[in-house]
Amino acid sequence: MSKEICVIGVGYVGLVTGAGFADLGNNVVCLNRSQLKCDNLKQGIIPIYEPGLEEIVRRNIDAGRLHFTTDYAEAMKDADLVFVAVGTPTGTEGEADLAYVQESVEGVADVMTRPVVIINKSTVPIGTGDWVAKIVSRRTDIAFSVVSNPEFLREGSSVYDFYNPDRVVLGSTNPEAAEAVADVYRPLNCPILITDLRTAEMIKYASNAFLATRISFINEMSAICEELGADVTVVARGMGMDKRIGLHFLNAGVGWGGSCFPKDVKALEYMASVHGCHPQLLRAVMDINRDQRRQVLLKLRAILGDLDEKVIGILGLSFKPNTDDMRDAPSIDIIHLLQLEGVEVRAYDPVAIDNARRLLSNVTFCENPYQVAEGADAIVLITEWNEFKQLDMDRIKAAMRGPVLIDGRNIYEPAQMRAKGFTYRGIGRGYNGSSNNQE
Ligand code: NAD
């Protein structure tokens, strides 16, 4: 049976969740603080770039199942289930900042007129479910339950992930509340794991920390490969063919970024530390990732020497392809490192330039990759957008002042690039041409 659902927050998680549940036949009200965002959403104009999302939003607005408001009382009027999907950014000490979660659940408690289930979809520290229950019970006598329902969607394919989750995790002290939430996921025919609040919260952090660990692991291998003359891309493929290992998250490159891994690994390390644990693996995973950003600088210095006044073209700014999200994008750190050396930076990204402008200064933003190449001493590929895989590399080279190509995601064939006259460096591709003696 369809449910009355309120979703708080209309970012990558909230809007996909709200639109997705509406598409499954539920009546959904999405609550947001910004009147402008709300007005735009009512017309089907979405505030983020997410393939396929606008169509679902428009379809469900037209069907009368998806609504937007800035008013808690209106959003909560008929709600049985309230999904909290607001941001939980990094606080001053590395902890997750729960200010938006607190504001949301206080807002809910203050207007509740009937029993509801409050569902934490935001990534929140272990123990937050209990904390939310305390906040709400101090402000209302009406019955409610708290369920943890961590989100695992990937930006860029979040619509697909909504309809095809590997699993849904639900944690609660109240089995009936967990079952009520499970009901809205049942049409998706996916495995549903029901557990206690803290275990559910921990599953999210452990999952992200593990994925980040895999990337840092292969990045550490890439440095060893480079020194010893092996190709990390083939090493990863050979490892991944082992079913116990698998192929995912074994791409060496300039490291992980984005709105989740950096803050979640940091928050888990923080939680572990303040509880007297010694999370040395998590610290190493973050250290390796930080070092990985410097690879670009070291490779450029090794080829070009002093970088002062050199012109470097950047391909790709978003933290990964198919998103406009610039949060903790490797491009930001790499561009800052280059600018400290006196480099003049030119850059292009298919969708993230507007967001990048707000975060980066003294960068010449270009309209396409060929413009980036004009007068450049080197090109650095940072984000592996598909459109960069099929570039006319002869045209790129002809526009450049020098022939240096740093492939920060290993998307090009080293031998082909060398044959075109590029001084090519990938990440961890010792045998195939990264090392100097292969020139
Ligand atoms: P986001 O920044 O894109 O969106 C957050 C939304 O919440 C914004 O629309 C913001 O305006 C709104 N908001 C903040 N405070 C509010 C309040 N008091 N009332 C109403 N609206 C409020 O964030 P996101 O990427 O969607 O992430 C949300 C949560 O989900 C985070 O905890 C994140 O770690 C987690 N998560 C994100 C992803 C992802 O890929 N982005 C994946 C899994 C989990």
Side-chain angles (χ1 to χ4, degrees):
M1 207 179 80
S2 74
K3 292 250 165 57
E4 297 290 330
I5 293 174
C6 166
V7 178
I8 307 182
V10 290
Y12 295 88
V13 172
L15 192 54
V16 172
T17 303
F21 282 140
D23 211 38
L24 295 178
N26 301 287
N27 192 43
V28 179
V29 184
C30 291
L31 175 85
N32 191 251
R33 290 185 304 184
S34 153
Q35 189 62 52
L36 178 66
K37 259 190 209 172
C38 234
D39 292 343
N40 283 338
L41 279 162
K42 282 178 184 172
Q43 298 172 54
I45 302 165
I46 67 173
I48 49 172
Y49 173 84
E50 192 58 43
L53 181 57
E54 192 169 303
E55 188 205 325
I56 301 178
V57 169
R58 284 175 187 261
R59 185 165 71 228
N60 285 283
I61 292 173
D62 291 347
R65 287 188 299 260
L66 184 59
H67 316 270
F68 298 95
T69 181
T70 56
D71 182 52
Y72 274 87
E74 188 185 334
M76 289 294 299
K77 194 159 62 73
D78 301 312
D80 307 310
L81 307 176
V82 186
F83 287 85
V84 178
V86 296
T88 48
T90 302
T92 47
E93 305 289 321
E95 80 284 10
D97 180 347
L98 293 178
Y100 300 143
V101 174
Q102 179 167 355
E103 196 183 314
S104 306
V105 296
E106 286 178 352
V108 166
D110 290 349
V111 301
M112 266 167 64
T113 53
R114 53 210 289 264
V116 295
V117 181
I118 298 170
I119 303 128
N120 279 333
K121 201 163 228 334
S122 299
T123 303
V124 290
I126 289 85
T128 301
D130 301 324
W131 174 77
V132 164
K134 259 190 216 144
I135 292 177
V136 177
S137 58
R138 274 196 215 118
R139 298 173 91 96
T140 180
D141 293 330
I142 299 172
F144 70 93
S145 302
V146 177
V147 171
S148 164
N149 171 213
E151 179 56 62
F152 300 99
L153 61 74
R154 299 160 301 169
E155 282 177 30
S157 44
S158 63
V159 170
Y160 174 87
D161 291 344
F162 176 85
Y163 292 104
N164 304 279
D166 289 339
R167 79 304 208 186
V168 165
V169 173
L170 301 171
S172 186
T173 44
N174 178 352
E176 272 176 39
E179 278 302 324
V181 183
D183 277 348
V184 288
Y185 284 106
R186 292 232 153 82
L188 300 175
N189 289 323
C190 61
I192 298 178
L193 175 67
I194 297 185
T195 178
D196 62 89
L197 267 172
R198 284 170 184 248
T199 304
E201 291 164 347
M202 184 66 191
I203 287 170
K204 175 63 192 174
Y205 280 101
S207 300
N208 271 1
F210 184 69
L211 294 173
T213 301
R214 281 180 68 107
I215 301 173
S216 283
F217 174 84
I218 202 68
N219 279 336
E220 183 155 298
M221 293 304 107
S222 78
I224 301 172
C225 284
E226 230 164 78
E227 288 307 315
L228 301 184
D231 182 341
V232 76
T233 62
V234 185
V235 170
R237 219 182 312 144
M239 287 170 63
M241 285 171 178
D242 185 328
K243 289 194 186 69
R244 295 169 301 177
I245 297 173
L247 283 163
H248 296 295
F249 286 77
L250 282 182
N251 295 324
V254 293
W256 38 271
S259 62
C260 292
F261 287 3
K263 82 173 173 63
D264 293 348
V265 179
K266 215 180 285 169
L268 183 57
E269 189 264 344
Y270 175 85
M271 276 183 273
S273 300
V274 297
H275 283 88
C277 302
H278 182 204
Q280 51 194 314
L281 178 60
L282 298 181
R283 287 176 191 150
V285 165
M286 290 189 282
D287 281 352
I288 293 167
N289 199 50
R290 212 169 299 122
D291 287 353
Q292 209 60 19
R293 305 281 202 266
R294 292 185 62 78
Q295 284 296 318
V296 169
L297 183 66
L298 299 179
K299 285 174 196 293
L300 284 170
R301 268 202 208 133
I303 303 167
L304 295 171
D306 186 357
L307 296 180
D308 193 24
E309 295 191 3
K310 292 284 188 298
V311 178
I312 309 285
I314 303 289
L315 294 182
L317 294 165
S318 57
F319 86 90
K320 67 175 184 179
N322 297 321
T323 181
D324 60 349
D325 199 340
M326 285 292 298
R327 286 178 282 186
D328 271 318
S331 64
I332 299 173
D333 291 338
I334 292 169
I335 288 172
H336 285 159
L337 285 171
L338 294 176
Q339 288 178 327
L340 281 175
E341 304 273 313
V343 162
E344 188 187 314
V345 176
R346 303 168 64 76
Y348 167 74
D349 186 281
V351 301
I353 287 183
D354 285 347
N355 287 341
R357 273 187 216 282
R358 289 192 271 275
L359 298 164
L360 296 164
S361 44
N362 299 319
V363 171
T364 304
F365 292 102
C366 301
E367 284 177 11
N368 58 57
Y370 303 102
Q371 220 179 63
V372 166
E374 278 167 23
D377 295 289
I379 292 283
V380 178
L381 181 131
I382 296 184
T383 316
E384 65 278 34
W385 283 92
N386 273 340
E387 74 170 70
F388 299 147
K389 294 177 183 165
Q390 298 294 337
L391 291 178
D392 178 348
M393 295 307 280
D394 294 321
R395 192 173 154 202
I396 292 278
K397 182 161 173 292
M400 292 172 71
R401 187 159 68 186
V404 178
L405 174 59
I406 307 291
D407 181 0
R409 299 292 179 185
N410 291 337
I411 68 169
Y412 299 117
E413 269 310 313
Q416 274 177 16
M417 291 304 121
R418 245 183 292 118
K420 287 186 184 296
F422 283 105
T423 304
Y424 173 90
R425 298 285 186 277
I427 305 288
R429 310 184 88 173
Y431 180 73
N432 272 332
S434 282
S435 61
N436 287 331
N437 58 13
Q438 293 294 317
E439 290 295 319

